[in-house]
């Protein structure tokens, strides 16, 4: 029987440049040289190469030249094509259920929910210093689930032993201010939804705070 679980490609087809690089980087990290995804390593390797090429093109396009912008758009199209090819390869695997797809950092078509039911934690997250004292930039590339109200952020200065409330935001890209400066912090995020629902916490990420 043909597998009926499909990747939600809309999750990455209309996101910003920054969100796209975070999204693809997360997929590569979850699948490259991972035994569960051995059958799709050709597609994963091609995706990793195209991500590097796209990042290089983004850097070159900062110069503002017409040819650099064209090359960036071509690199983006190639990256999306490679990601689509990986999605297809994953869908064709005998074990490609919703958990297998989610573990690759991808969303399924039936993962969008209404204002009831469980909310999944964000998986594709980038946290990096803005260069300003006590401030980091958070970028979430997962599609916003129906019923999402805010993203809640907590940080830990003792490697996860205790957690402190950071901020709340309804946006998928936002800054967190007033963090302990000059040290590495653990950051985690969860979704707050309607009807008093919330997701589990995301995996924690380490951020070097200026």
């Amino acid at each position: 029987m043909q597998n009926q679980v499909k990747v939600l490609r809309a999750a990455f087809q209309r996101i910003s440049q920054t969100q796209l690089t975070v999204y693809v980087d997360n997929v590569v990290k979850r699948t490259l040289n991972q035994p569960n995804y051995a059958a799709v390593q050709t597609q994963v390797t091609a995706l990793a190469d195209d991500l590097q090429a796209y990042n290089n093109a983004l850097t070159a396009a900062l110069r503002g030249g017409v040819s650099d912008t064209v090359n960036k758009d071509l690199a983006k199209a190639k990256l999306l094509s490679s990601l689509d090819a990986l999605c297809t390869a994953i869908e064709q695997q005998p074990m490609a259920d919703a958990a297998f797809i989610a573990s690759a950092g991808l969303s399924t078509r039936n993962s969008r929910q209404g204002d009831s039911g469980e909310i999944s934690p964000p998986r594709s997250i980038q946290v990096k210093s803005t260069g300003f004292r006590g401030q980091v930039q958070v970028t979430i590339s997962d599609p916003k689930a129906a019923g999402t109200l805010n993203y809640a952020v907590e940080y830990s200065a003792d490697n996860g032993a205790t957690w402190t409330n950071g901020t709340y935001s309804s946006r998928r890209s936002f800054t967190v201010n007033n963090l302990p400066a000059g040290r590495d912090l653990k950051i985690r995020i969860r979704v707050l939804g309607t009807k008093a629902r919330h997701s589990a916490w995301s995996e924690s990420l380490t951020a070097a705070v200026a």
Side-chain angles (χ1 to χ4, degrees), residues 8-208:
L8 179 66
R9 286 163 170 78
F12 56 79
Q13 288 173 337
R14 299 181 183 88
I15 57 181
S16 70
Q17 292 178 166
T18 300
Q19 289 173 328
L20 179 60
T21 57
V22 174
Y23 190 96
V24 176
D25 183 64
N26 182 61
V27 172
V28 170
K29 287 178 178 176
R30 286 171 173 263
T31 55
L32 185 63
N33 298 323
Q34 297 300 315
N36 287 346
Y37 300 96
V40 297
Q41 285 305 293
T42 298
Q43 290 82 4
V44 175
T45 301
L47 182 64
D49 290 343
D50 289 340
L51 174 61
Q52 183 61 56
Y54 180 54
N55 284 330
N56 292 341
L58 282 176
T59 300
L62 294 175
R63 296 193 293 261
V66 175
S67 62
D68 292 326
T69 301
V70 170
N71 289 336
K72 178 201 69 176
D73 292 340
L74 291 173
K76 180 180 180 180
K78 194 169 188 297
L79 179 63
L80 288 172
S81 178
S82 289
L83 183 54
D84 183 69
L86 175 60
C87 292
T88 299
I90 286 177
E91 289 170 342
Q92 293 172 346
Q93 299 308 304
M95 71 291 288
D97 57 9
F100 184 75
I101 291 173
S103 293
L106 301 165
S107 302
T108 56
R109 286 186 185 176
N110 60 356
S111 64
R112 289 188 173 182
Q113 301 163 334
D115 291 343
S116 61
E118 182 181 354
I119 301 179
S120 298
R123 294 185 299 271
S124 301
I125 305 169
Q126 181 185 64
V127 181
K128 62 180 181 179
S129 172
T130 63
F132 292 99
R133 182 178 175 83
Q135 186 182 85
V136 297
Q137 177 75 27
V138 174
T139 301
I140 302 169
S141 295
D142 300 275
K144 182 180 285 189
T148 296
L149 296 177
N150 285 297
Y151 296 100
V153 179
E154 287 189 345
Y155 66 87
S156 173
D158 53 14
N159 202 34
T162 59
W163 292 90
T164 302
N165 180 50
T167 190
Y168 299 90
S169 177
S170 61
R171 301 172 63 86
R172 291 191 294 161
S173 182
F174 55 91
T175 57
V176 182
N177 300 296
N178 301 317
L179 296 170
R183 60 192 306 176
D184 289 349
L185 300 178
K186 292 285 188 181
I187 305 287
R188 67 182 185 180
I189 300 169
R190 71 176 176 180
V191 180
L192 303 181
T194 54
K195 298 185 178 179
R197 295 175 301 143
H198 58 77
S199 74
W201 288 104
S202 69
E203 296 179 359
S204 62
L205 297 92
T206 301

